[in-house]
Amino acid sequence: MVKKLSWSWKLFAIGAIMAAMPLGEAAAQGAGILRGVVLDSISQQPVAGAQVQLVGTNRVVATDASGVYTISGVPEGPASLRVQRIGYAQTTIAVSASGGGTVTRDITLRPVITTLSQVVVVGYGSSNRSEVTGALTTVSASDIRNTPIAGVDAMLQGKASGVQVTQNAGNPGNGISVRVRGSSSLTASNQPLYVVDGAPIQSGDFAQVGFGGQDLTAVTSLNPDEIETITILKDAASAGIYGSRASNGVILITTKRGVAGGNRISFNGYTGWQKAEKKLPMLTGPEYVAYMAEGMANDGYTPAEIADTGFEVGVADQVSTDWQAAVFRTAPVRDATLGFSGGTGRVRYYLSGSYFGQDGVVLGSAYNRASGRANIDVDATDRLALKASLSLAREINYRIVNDNTIQGVGANAIAEQPNIPIRDVNGAFSTNDSDGLQYTNPLAIAAFDYNPTTTQRALANVEGRYNFLNWLQFTARVAGDQLVLHERTWCSPLTVDSCGGVAGDAASGYNSGNRFLGEGFFTLTPWAASSRGTLTATVGASTERNRTELNYVEGTGFSSPALHDVGNATTVTIYDGSRDANNLVSYFARANLNVADRYLASASFRTDGSSRFGPNNKYGFFPAVSLGWVITQEPMLSALSRLGSIKIRGSYGTTGNQGIENNTYRATYESANYGKAGGIAPNNLANPDLKWEQTKEMDIGFDWTMFDGRIGLVGDYYTKKTSNLLVSRPVTGTSGFTTFTDNVGNIENRGFEFELTTENIRGNGNGGFSWLTNFNISTNKNKVTSLYGGQPIFSGIDDVNIVTVGEPIGSFYTLRFTGVDPATGDATYLDVNGDGDINSDDRVVVGSPQPTYWGGVTNTLTFGNLDLRAAMQFSGGNRIYNGIRAFADDGGFFRDNKFADVLRRWRQPGDITDQPRPSWDGTSLAYIGSSRWVEPGSYARLQEISVGFRMPTSYARYAGMQNARLYVTGRNLHTWTKFFGYNPDVNSNGSGSNTSLGTEFYSYPLARTWMVGVSGEW
């Protein structure tokens, strides 16, 4: 690999040598200057940041803040200028340069909905949407602005077709699950690749301490206010240039940069308040006592025995505690970003600093982030352009033990008996000893325990672009990504029922991740001025080095609750420390052909070599090809031009997945000490043939813009077939192991995607009424098509999830509940094998956690200085395993409080209901896990309403501002669902879970938020 690795640097060196070579005469005699202003055709306002290209060359300049462009050194004679900007239709005009003189030519751009006219970022370059033959979608900065969520990934929910976003839990700064066109792996990563300003970044969970669904992802360190655009590459043709990491899609993030002209100061800030969107309906104290007493009576217990157990009606029901109300709070959220931008014709800058703070709606939880960014662009010469970016972020996440546990603040607030007070007669928090509390007092946990996680992140990127010739350009990039995460946990001895017995428990852990990227690539446009069409080719190489290091120590026994650092522990109970590394070397090429703006073709190829795979399959090869046909440009189909512009396209390609642990293919050893004597033992069986997961994808789609760009429709149908799944399969025990990692199994995803953008009412540009609608909907059908020996894989709580051939990943596998016997009140279940016994052999697939459709709709209305934005988001076709019901709907088998739904229970022979009778001994069989606990997961959510007022210019200038906008925004205002838990957008197993899906087990509730804010420029 070392020899191969050096070739990427050789390519870099070749470019550097060529840059140093004399180029001969720089410009023809009599070269002139082209200058002008780019204007919005409706408002007649200048358009800043528009790209103006001298056609037939790689000469590109950007307009300054006043919309002015200047291109010098233009040979005398006729020429063409191509102008493009996101949100405007691309235009090309003819000009004539004067020898030694200056020619002024103003250009107007027509704003349109972005279906075929949009300039989009693609891998290693950019392109006009009309020339793209792959499947991609874009999200602009305005779509994610002023959203009270830490992560950019969460902000994509409902905004992009083909992108399924699951929040997992509602706590601030939580890790999010993102699936592009379904799940394609069982053990490797299913998360997309994130690329920021051309550099892939670390995006996984570096935490060592588990909090169930409250995990972390490194994406939260990105400040959404610094983002200009987001492009999601969905099919193999668009994502294939990233090869081995593209099977889950690629998310390209472009940050804001400065434009030449006057210096500008921008500010955006809001403050708001949050409340839990809902409380779970639970039994009151009297209802709880009556229910539990009835359960004991149903099983033949005497009144005296019922009283001795603590369920005497009229005595034990004098207190009614609402534990949820006690741990919920109205929590603040605030955000502020200050930006500086500007520059001259050759040097441009963008600087920003921001703070985001969000207290959780459950006591003890919060998230804070402070970040800054500096982006510098320098046109060193007419041929050499340099870019530099630096981003720094510091996050502090206060998580609480909650999800996927029966010991936590939110979990215990649901489970605690409602007939016990929060505090005892002495004013201390009630405990098991003092009041018979079933679990640790949740308010004691919130008051005495804490779990801060601090993350410090630096992203650095330096890029140089040199134009050797008008048709030959070389780009070199070096980038670094450093992340250091420090976790601390403290379980105080004052939380008596948790850590009182061990005199406190503390832990401290560090985990660092470092990534270094070096790459170089040539861009060739040999036919830029040819009548044959345009040909653009890219060829390059890349190398990437990743290093991680962690340590962890946990101890118990503290002399005082005030001494809660782990160094004060008397006994070390757990310790760990390790280092790891992996490298990736890549070679890639792509060619795009456009003939007469009618026939389009693209082909790409990438080969990746990874240190994670065996010597027999260390390199993977990932080709892709796509074709497009603009049928409305075809002379024989000219009649279709009345329908607008229609492009049909198709693609096929291969991508890979290398998201597994390092050294999986090796025979490795671990420490195995015998007493105080050191030793080692094998812990992994070697597999030198281990190779990449491989996804082959076919996509057929169309882009249709009609009625002068007022309606845009994009549609796609795709199939993704993943083979060579990386899974642990069984081996004979004589090997000394029971499993080893191998390539076995296949998964298939197929579905439809549609994006519809309509300009329902077009304003006149002078404050008239306008109305824009964006709608997207996606479908996906996930299915496992092959496994090793057809053997199913079980996971999740009580093995409720199954991976089996013919079913979606993580399907629910339980007994099938058939109802309540009207004669006895007992729960009944399907006897599948007919043997007369109900046991695990009778389990069947009872539903899927995989949504079959999802999407969103956003309406934006403006009139004069007023604007209104409303967004809905929906998902459906899936089921959710509500694990809370194992304790809260168990027929009184456990002492936990019960859902108020048990008030519909069976009480006497002849009652028709689906709620079994209560039973202290469990004889009603209500405590058995079954399809009774599998609930509908479909929902629709009023995601956002925002009302803004743009201050008149005269008033804004009176305040020293060029413009200012005041706004009020509501978030997560209402959810329509039949799901009984807090939030149907849930998985208590967290973002890293591939097969344990769709589970609700005491998740953190979702927050409803109201905010007021102001934005403006000086």
Side-chain angles (χ1 to χ4, degrees), residues 402-436:
N402 201 75
D403 301 54
N404 204 13
T405 180
I406 55 174
Q407 288 286 351
V409 179
N412 292 10
I414 297 171
E416 300 287 22
Q417 308 100 302
N419 64 325
I420 295 178
I422 295 173
R423 295 181 180 269
D424 61 23
V425 293
N426 297 317
F429 288 119
S430 56
T431 66
N432 182 270
D433 289 338
S434 68
D435 295 272

Side-chain angles (χ1 to χ4, degrees), residues 98-447:
S98 173
T102 299
V103 174
T104 300
R105 180 67 183 272
D106 293 342
I107 306 170
T108 58
L109 290 180
R110 179 171 57 88
V112 295
I113 57 178
T114 55
T115 299
L116 288 180
S117 63
Q118 186 176 7
V119 180
V120 294
V121 178
V122 295
Y124 302 99
S126 62
S127 178
N128 192 277
R129 181 67 184 258
S130 62
E131 299 177 347
V132 171
T133 51
L136 53 80
T137 189
T138 59
V139 178
S140 68
S142 61
D143 293 324
I144 61 174
R145 187 178 297 127
N146 304 327
T147 303
I149 301 176
V152 175
D153 44 6
M155 298 178 183
L156 298 177
Q157 191 171 48
K159 300 294 193 300
S161 65
V163 181
Q164 177 199 348
V165 178
T166 304
Q167 295 190 39
N168 297 315
N171 58 297
N174 186 53
I176 304 298
S177 298
V178 179
R179 301 291 182 262
V180 178
R181 293 185 166 182
S183 300
S184 300
S185 182
L186 300 181
T187 58
S189 174
N190 273 311
Q191 297 280 60
L193 173 68
Y194 290 86
V195 179
V196 178
D197 290 334
I201 65 168
Q202 303 172 105
S203 59
D205 182 4
F206 282 80
Q208 299 180 70
V209 181
F211 287 82
Q214 295 188 46
D215 57 6
L216 306 175
T217 57
V219 181
T220 55
S221 65
L222 301 176
N223 175 20
D225 286 331
E226 299 170 353
I227 293 175
E228 181 73 22
T229 60
I230 300 174
T231 303
I232 300 102
L233 311 181
K234 298 184 291 188
D235 70 335
S238 58
I241 195 72
Y242 290 100
S244 65
R245 294 174 292 181
S247 64
N248 302 317
V250 181
I251 296 181
L252 304 179
I253 297 174
T254 304
T255 60
K256 296 176 180 178
R257 310 200 74 87
V259 294
N263 298 322
R264 288 190 176 188
I265 302 175
S266 61
F267 174 79
N268 182 48
Y270 61 79
T271 184
W273 58 97
Q274 312 161 94
K275 288 189 174 182
E277 187 186 20
K278 66 181 289 189
K279 288 197 308 180
L280 300 184
M282 309 298 293
L283 295 181
T284 64
E287 291 170 341
Y288 169 78
V289 171
Y291 181 82
M292 299 301 287
E294 182 181 328
M296 294 189 72
N298 285 341
D299 291 339
Y301 288 89
T302 67
E305 291 172 321
I306 295 174
D308 289 342
T309 311
F311 298 125
E312 184 177 1
V313 176
V315 176
D317 55 4
Q318 301 306 299
V319 173
S320 187
T321 300
D322 187 342
W323 290 97
Q324 290 181 92
V327 302
F328 288 170
R329 63 181 175 183
T330 299
V333 60
R334 55 273 178 200
D335 180 78
T337 298
L338 185 64
F340 304 85
S341 64
T344 65
R346 288 197 177 272
V347 180
R348 300 168 299 281
Y349 68 90
Y350 172 80
L351 307 173
S352 73
S354 71
Y355 171 78
F356 174 77
Q358 183 178 22
D359 290 1
V361 295
V362 179
L363 294 174
S365 58
Y367 173 85
N368 298 282
R369 179 187 62 223
S371 64
R373 173 171 286 275
N375 288 349
I376 308 296
D377 297 77
V378 179
D379 294 333
T381 70
D382 288 343
R383 294 182 178 272
L384 176 63
L386 303 173
K387 290 183 178 181
S389 301
L390 176 64
S391 174
L392 303 175
R394 186 174 190 268
E395 305 169 87
I396 303 180
N397 197 317
Y398 294 91
R399 292 180 289 173
I400 56 174
V401 177
N402 201 75
D403 301 54
N404 204 13
T405 180
I406 55 174
Q407 288 286 351
V409 179
N412 292 10
I414 297 171
E416 300 287 22
Q417 308 100 302
N419 64 325
I420 295 178
I422 295 173
R423 295 181 180 269
D424 61 23
V425 293
N426 297 317
F429 288 119
S430 56
T431 66
N432 182 270
D433 289 338
S434 68
D435 295 272
L437 201 62
Q438 179 75 1
Y439 301 102
T440 304
N441 192 311
L443 280 87
I445 299 175

